[in-house]
Amino acid sequence: MDVQQIRSWFPSLDSPTVFLDNAGGSQVPRGVAEAVANYYQQSYAQLGGSYRESQIAVKTVADAHVLMARWCNAHSEANVILGPSDTALTRMLTDAYIDAGVANGFADGRDEIVVSPHGHESNVGPWVRMGKFGWKVKLWNDLPVAGEAYAKSLEPLISSRTRLVVFPHVSNILGSVINAKSIIQRAHAVGARVVVDGVAYAPHRALDIRALGADWYSWSTYKVMGPHMAVLAGTPEAMGEVTGPNHYFIDPKTWPKKFELGGVSHEGCAGLLGVQAYMRFLAGGQGLGPGAPDQVIDRGTIERAWAEMERHELVLQKTLIDGLRAIPGIRIIGPVETDETRVPTVCFVVEGASSKAVAEKANREGLAMRFGHFYSLRLLKTVLPERDPEDGVVRISLVHYNTVEEVERAVEWVRVHGHLK
C-alpha cells in the first residue's frame, strides 16, 4: 500500500512538521475527529434513558467495549475496562490488589509481587507503593530486557508466595520486544498472575492477550490513533479476584462498570469507533465514513490492518537505525537489530552533546523529536548513570504513516547538527 494513500487519512500530516514523537501520542485518522464531533452534535446524552439520543449513547459506549475486546482478543467486552489513561487504570488496579490483600490478611500466603523497574513509571511506582501495605515487593533488575535469558532470570524471584509479576511488553527507551509469553508461562507455573504494560507495544503490533496468556494487559489508545483514553483488559479469573472501586451498591461482578469510576468518556468511545474506517482501508476493504453501516469490525480485519502497518514500519526502522549507526559519535540505547525483535522507537545520545539542545534545535527546524527520560527514570539511571537523567536521551519514534524521506531527513539533520552542546 502506498504511504501517500495512508497519509491522506491523517489531516494533521499536511503540517510542515515532521512527526517523530509518535511514542508520546500518535496522529489520528479523520474518522476519529469526525466521530467525536458527530457524537457531540447528534447524541450528547446521558446513558440509561429510553429516548433516542440516550439509546445512541448507550450503543456507542457498548460498541467501543466490543471493538477494544476484539482489538486485543480479550475474552469478552465485559473484560475490557476503559479509562482516562494507563496511569489511572494501573493505579486503580494496584489499589484493588491492596484492598484484596488487606481484606483477607494474605490468607493464601501470596504476599509477594515481582516488578520490572525498567518500564514507564506508571507501571512501576504504583506497584512499588504496595510495599507500604504489607506486600513484599521484589525488583526484577536484570538487563537487557529481551530474549530467553531475560525470561529465565525471573525464576529465582518467583515462588508459591508470588501473587503478581509485572513488566512492560516493550521498553519505551530500549525499543526491544520482551518475550512476554515465556515470562508469563514461568509465572503461571508457580500460580502467579501477570500484568503486562503494552503501551509501547500496542502502536506497532496486533495485540492478542489470549495468545500471550496475560492476566492483565493495558495500553493507551491515544498512542494508537485514537482519543486520549486507555484500556485495561483482564481475564475473568483475574477480575474475579479483586473488586472494582465503583460505588458500593454496584454488584462486584458487574464488569466492566464496577471498574469504570464515574463512567467512561462517551465522546471518547465515539472516537475509538471512528478508527474503524481506517482499519478497514488498511485491511484492503473500503473505508466506511460517517453514516455508513455501524457494525463493529471483526478480528480478521484488525489483524490484516496491523500486518500492513508492521510491513511499513520495518522499512522505516531499518532506515533509521542503519542511518544513525553510520554517524560517528552516536550511541543507540537499545538493540541495533532492525527486525521484528524491536519496534521503531529509537533512543540515542550524541557524544559530548546535550540531548535537550539537539532535540530543541530540531524542533525549531520542523523535526518533532524529543528528549528526556520519558518517565522511565529508573531505567535511564541504570543504562546511562553518567548522564543527567533530565537531559536524558534523544528519541525518534516512528509509526507506519511516517515516510522513508522523513526518516532520511532526520538522520541527515542529526549528522550535520547533532554535535550541539
Side-chain angles (χ1 to χ4, degrees):
M1 190 172 292
D2 183 81
V3 70
Q4 295 307 322
Q5 288 180 286
I6 288 172
R7 289 172 68 87
S8 70
W9 283 77
F10 294 83
S12 59
L13 297 184
D14 290 337
S15 166
T17 298
V18 178
F19 292 100
L20 304 172
D21 183 33
N22 299 288
S26 71
Q27 302 303 300
V28 300
R30 60 177 179 265
V32 173
E34 291 170 351
V36 171
N38 287 342
Y39 177 83
Y40 273 128
Q41 294 166 359
Q42 299 174 13
S43 55
Y44 189 40
Q46 284 300 308
L47 310 185
S50 57
Y51 58 96
R52 174 184 173 276
E53 288 77 7
S54 180
Q55 291 300 300
I56 293 174
V58 167
K59 186 176 188 323
T60 297
V61 172
D63 283 353
H65 284 85
V66 171
L67 175 61
M68 291 299 100
R70 292 179 185 174
W71 195 286
C72 68
N73 199 22
H75 290 73
S76 81
E77 58 270 25
N79 303 118
V80 169
I81 302 161
L82 302 182
S85 67
D86 183 72
T87 302
L89 289 175
T90 301
R91 179 60 180 264
M92 177 193 68
L93 183 60
T94 61
D95 284 348
Y97 273 103
I98 288 170
D99 291 345
V102 171
N104 66 27
F106 304 104
D108 61 0
R110 291 189 178 274
D111 61 349
E112 296 183 354
I113 62 174
V114 178
V115 182
S116 168
H118 301 315
H120 191 288
E121 188 64 18
S122 66
N123 200 45
V124 181
W127 300 104
V128 172
R129 170 178 168 268
M130 289 174 64
K132 299 178 180 179
F133 299 91
W135 293 81
K136 182 178 180 181
V137 180
K138 294 182 176 180
L139 294 182
W140 182 14
N141 285 305
D142 288 71
L143 285 170
V145 289
E148 187 63 16
Y150 180 67
K152 190 172 178 60
S153 73
L154 173 66
E155 293 177 0
L157 299 173
I158 56 178
S159 69
S160 60
R161 293 185 62 183
T162 307
R163 168 68 68 189
L164 296 163
V165 175
V166 182
F167 64 92
H169 204 164
V170 163
S171 162
N172 69 341
I173 296 288
L174 304 176
S176 46
V177 179
I178 294 173
N179 190 345
K181 189 170 185 177
S182 183
I183 293 169
I184 291 168
Q185 289 172 342
R186 284 174 162 84
H188 284 174
V190 300
R193 299 285 184 208
V194 181
V195 182
V196 184
D197 175 6
V199 171
Y201 181 90
H204 308 289
R205 303 284 194 275
L207 302 179
D208 192 338
I209 64 171
R210 278 196 277 185
L212 281 182
D215 299 287
W216 297 98
Y217 196 100
S218 63
W219 76 97
S220 301
T221 60
Y222 68 95
K223 299 184 180 185
V224 196
M225 303 175 293
H228 202 292
M229 296 178 70
V231 181
L232 174 63
T235 63
E237 295 77 14
M239 292 181 76
E241 293 174 351
V242 293
T243 300
N246 217 340
H247 306 305
Y248 76 92
F249 48 79
I250 297 174
D251 188 331
K253 295 181 180 180
T254 305
W255 304 333
K257 185 176 182 179
K258 189 66 173 176
F259 291 90
E260 293 179 340
L261 283 168
V264 300
S265 166
H266 304 172
E267 63 274 21
C269 288
L272 291 176
L273 295 171
V275 180
Q276 293 182 101
Y278 180 62
M279 298 294 280
R280 290 188 184 99
F281 160 73
L282 285 177
Q286 182 179 1
L288 300 179
D294 57 358
Q295 296 176 349
V296 177
I297 57 175
D298 61 18
R299 176 68 187 175
T301 299
I302 293 167
E303 291 177 345
R304 291 192 299 275
W306 280 106
E308 181 68 18
M309 286 186 270
E310 183 178 354
R311 185 178 70 82
H312 280 264
E313 288 190 1
L314 287 172
V315 176
L316 299 172
Q317 178 172 279
K318 178 173 175 55
T319 304
L320 176 58
I321 292 176
D322 288 351
L324 291 175
R325 292 184 70 192
I327 303 173
I330 294 287
R331 176 186 170 191
I332 294 176
I333 310 303
V336 295
E337 287 78 14
T338 60
D339 57 18
E340 296 86 352
T341 61
R342 70 162 296 144
V343 300
T345 298
V346 181
C347 292
F348 61 94
V349 293
V350 183
E351 183 179 351
S354 160
S355 296
K356 177 180 179 180
V358 172
E360 288 186 344
K361 181 170 175 57
N363 292 173
R364 290 192 295 271
E365 298 184 17
L367 297 171
M369 59 185 76
R370 293 284 300 280
F371 77 96
H373 54 70
F374 303 100
Y375 293 91
S376 288
L377 182 62
R378 300 171 198 255
L379 172 60
L380 204 62
K381 285 182 175 180
T382 300
V383 299
L384 287 173
E386 73 281 5
R387 293 184 71 99
D388 174 7
E390 294 300 323
D391 188 65
V393 295
V394 181
R395 187 173 75 177
I396 295 176
S397 50
L398 309 172
V399 289
H400 68 287
Y401 55 62
N402 286 118
T403 68
V404 170
E405 292 74 21
E406 287 178 334
V407 177
E408 290 175 338
R409 176 183 165 188
V411 168
E412 178 62 14
W413 188 94
V414 172
R415 186 187 70 79
V416 174
H417 300 286
H419 61 278
L420 292 168
K421 301 296 184 183

